[in-house]
Amino acid sequence: MAQAITGKPKARKHRKTGKRSKNERVTNLISIVVGAFVIAVSFNSFLLPNDIASGGINGLSILIEHLYGFNPAFIQWAINIPLFFAGMLLLGRRFALQTLVGTIFLPLFVLLTSHWGVPTENPLLASIYGGIGVGLGLGLVFRGRGSTGGTALIAQILHRYTGMSLGLCIALMDGLVIVAAGFLLSPEQALYALIGLFVTSKTIDIVQTGLAMSKVAFIISSRSEEIADAVLHDLDRGLTRLDGHGGYTGDNRTVLMVVLSQNEVPELKRLVQTVDRDAFVIISHTAEVLGQGFKLE
């Protein structure tokens, strides 16, 4: 009887885990497809009509379309499909499969939305809003644990086989496209492309970490217990006590670490100043906080 009871919960737990895993895969797939659609709309509405080649295969397809008149969607397929197989061969099946959905759907959506209207012919507005749209789409793709292939895949291969940092490899790939835009289009178009690339990178960060920027405060004081009590009861925030040692004196010190929201910072400073005007306080940005009292994903 005991063995039977022990076995049942295990079976239910296994089914729950499998269901959760399946739901997560579906959610990731939807995120990648929606992200690819947003990228395609931003590409056709802002970047392509204004010749903003802000890096990546999208930017390269704009340059080739400008020179030879080929449809950007077919250019992207022609470049991404061989890269997909190269990635599978050099980086492994698991990594390459993460790019499969983006590799297929992004050019497809570029083709399907190619006749949509153009909101602006101002290249500055196009670079800003195109950059926001591409960054939003890429952020969704990354949240779905996917990729759109292209120069990001080339950067991964370079990173794996040259030892260069991934960030440097991506910057190198995008930089080559923008430099080419400077020669093939105009130096001014390359400058607009840089604006678009910058906006894209910042938008990706926002999608990944959210708009709410939290703060982390480190407080060193001889009256740490009183400050801790004020934080716990007046500010209603948890805290962590860390053991520290004075670098010059070698004395033992208690360091209080408090994670709080932006609008709680003034109240924290007021509480610390009320208890100990000589307290040493460090307050810095933190990109993301997960756990009780903060968001969980």
Side-chain angles (χ1 to χ4, degrees):
M1 181 67 72
Q3 291 179 346
I5 293 173
T6 304
K8 272 191 170 183
K10 288 184 178 178
R12 283 197 298 268
K13 184 177 180 181
H14 176 73
R15 284 196 297 270
K16 283 184 178 180
T17 302
K19 184 177 181 180
R20 189 185 304 116
S21 178
K22 183 178 179 180
N23 290 340
E24 184 178 352
R25 287 197 296 270
V26 172
T27 302
N28 288 344
L29 178 62
I30 292 172
S31 183
I32 295 170
V33 173
V34 171
F37 179 77
V38 173
I39 295 170
V41 171
S42 303
F43 176 81
N44 281 319
S45 298
F46 296 104
L47 302 182
L48 179 60
N50 293 280
D51 287 333
I52 309 296
S54 56
I57 293 299
N58 287 346
L60 189 58
S61 68
I62 290 175
L63 296 180
I64 296 175
E65 189 269 346
H66 177 81
L67 291 175
Y68 303 107
F70 295 148
N71 190 304
F74 297 124
I75 297 170
Q76 291 169 21
W77 268 322
I79 297 173
N80 275 333
I81 291 175
L83 281 176
F84 168 76
F85 288 107
M88 182 176 289
L89 181 66
L90 298 174
L91 300 175
R93 175 182 289 183
R94 181 178 178 182
F95 178 85
L97 288 176
Q98 292 175 339
T99 71
L100 180 61
V101 176
T103 297
I104 293 174
F105 277 93
L106 177 56
L108 176 62
F109 289 143
V110 168
L111 185 64
L112 294 176
T113 62
S114 59
H115 301 295
W116 286 26
V118 179
T120 180
E121 294 181 357
N122 183 311
L124 179 59
L125 290 177
S127 62
I128 293 173
Y129 286 99
I132 291 173
V134 172
L136 175 61
L138 284 173
L140 290 172
V141 170
F142 294 156
R143 285 177 74 93
R145 300 181 183 179
S147 169
T148 57
T151 53
L153 192 55
I154 299 175
Q156 286 280 1
I157 295 172
L158 282 176
H159 169 65
R160 174 73 63 87
Y161 290 97
T162 65
M164 291 191 296
S165 71
L166 183 58
L168 177 60
C169 293
I170 292 174
L172 180 62
M173 294 294 100
D174 289 335
L176 287 174
V177 174
I178 292 175
V179 168
F183 284 103
L184 299 176
L185 300 175
S186 72
E188 189 176 64
Q189 291 303 112
L191 295 177
Y192 286 129
L194 279 173
I195 294 174
L197 184 60
F198 176 79
V199 173
T200 293
S201 66
K202 293 302 178 183
T203 306
I204 291 173
D205 290 341
I206 291 173
V207 175
Q208 295 286 75
T209 62
L211 284 169
M213 184 67 74
S214 298
K215 302 286 187 178
V216 58
F218 296 94
I219 306 165
I220 304 172
S221 169
S222 59
R223 304 175 66 180
S224 59
E225 287 301 321
E226 296 173 60
I227 293 175
D229 185 70
V231 170
L232 290 169
H233 297 98
D234 297 342
L235 192 61
D236 195 25
R237 272 293 175 195
L239 57 85
T240 300
R241 291 179 173 86
L242 307 175
D243 292 328
H245 302 277
Y248 179 73
T249 63
D251 295 340
N252 293 332
R253 297 285 182 88
T254 298
V255 181
L256 303 178
M257 184 181 75
V258 185
V259 179
L260 64 167
S261 62
Q262 175 79 46
N263 59 0
E264 291 172 321
V265 171
E267 181 63 12
L268 174 71
K269 292 195 286 188
R270 187 192 67 79
L271 288 173
V272 172
Q273 286 291 300
T274 300
V275 176
D276 182 6
R277 299 189 65 85
D278 295 323
F280 187 75
V281 182
I282 303 170
I283 300 175
S284 61
H285 296 292
T286 180
E288 190 169 18
V289 181
L290 306 177
Q292 187 175 3
F294 295 88
K295 66 179 181 178
L296 286 172
E297 295 183 342

mmCIF file of all heavy atoms in Angstrom, residues 12 135 159 214 248 279:
data_model
loop_
_atom_site.group_PDB
_atom_site.id
_atom_site.type_symbol
_atom_site.label_atom_id
_atom_site.label_comp_id
_atom_site.label_asym_id
_atom_site.label_seq_id
_atom_site.Cartn_x
_atom_site.Cartn_y
_atom_site.Cartn_z
ATOM 1 N N ARG A 12 1.861 11.860 -11.133
ATOM 2 C CA ARG A 12 1.218 13.152 -11.331
ATOM 3 C C ARG A 12 2.250 14.256 -11.525
ATOM 4 O O ARG A 12 2.112 15.119 -12.365
ATOM 5 C CB ARG A 12 0.343 13.487 -10.115
ATOM 6 C CG ARG A 12 -0.978 12.724 -10.108
ATOM 7 C CD ARG A 12 -1.944 13.401 -9.154
ATOM 8 N NE ARG A 12 -1.440 13.393 -7.787
ATOM 9 C CZ ARG A 12 -1.729 12.441 -6.907
ATOM 10 N NH1 ARG A 12 -2.476 11.406 -7.256
ATOM 11 N NH2 ARG A 12 -1.252 12.509 -5.683
ATOM 12 N N GLY A 135 13.999 46.306 -32.248
ATOM 13 C CA GLY A 135 14.410 45.939 -30.897
ATOM 14 C C GLY A 135 13.314 45.226 -30.143
ATOM 15 O O GLY A 135 13.566 44.244 -29.429
ATOM 16 N N HIS A 159 32.695 33.600 -32.484
ATOM 17 C CA HIS A 159 32.951 33.517 -31.043
ATOM 18 C C HIS A 159 33.462 32.129 -30.666
ATOM 19 O O HIS A 159 34.403 31.998 -29.870
ATOM 20 C CB HIS A 159 31.663 33.850 -30.295
ATOM 21 C CG HIS A 159 31.710 33.545 -28.828
ATOM 22 N ND1 HIS A 159 32.556 34.190 -27.954
ATOM 23 C CD2 HIS A 159 31.016 32.634 -28.086
ATOM 24 C CE1 HIS A 159 32.365 33.711 -26.739
ATOM 25 N NE2 HIS A 159 31.453 32.761 -26.785
ATOM 26 N N SER A 214 15.093 48.845 -10.649
ATOM 27 C CA SER A 214 15.233 48.753 -9.200
ATOM 28 C C SER A 214 16.588 49.304 -8.763
ATOM 29 O O SER A 214 17.477 49.521 -9.581
ATOM 30 C CB SER A 214 15.092 47.298 -8.745
ATOM 31 O OG SER A 214 13.818 46.791 -9.064
ATOM 32 N N TYR A 248 41.102 49.588 6.326
ATOM 33 C CA TYR A 248 42.215 50.217 7.036
ATOM 34 C C TYR A 248 42.314 49.728 8.476
ATOM 35 O O TYR A 248 43.396 49.346 8.945
ATOM 36 C CB TYR A 248 42.055 51.740 7.007
ATOM 37 C CG TYR A 248 43.154 52.480 7.739
ATOM 38 C CD1 TYR A 248 44.433 52.562 7.204
ATOM 39 C CD2 TYR A 248 42.904 53.098 8.974
ATOM 40 C CE1 TYR A 248 45.445 53.233 7.878
ATOM 41 C CE2 TYR A 248 43.894 53.772 9.644
ATOM 42 C CZ TYR A 248 45.170 53.839 9.100
ATOM 43 O OH TYR A 248 46.164 54.505 9.768
ATOM 44 N N ALA A 279 26.483 57.699 8.411
ATOM 45 C CA ALA A 279 26.426 56.400 7.733
ATOM 46 C C ALA A 279 26.964 56.519 6.307
ATOM 47 O O ALA A 279 26.796 57.553 5.642
ATOM 48 C CB ALA A 279 24.991 55.882 7.715
#
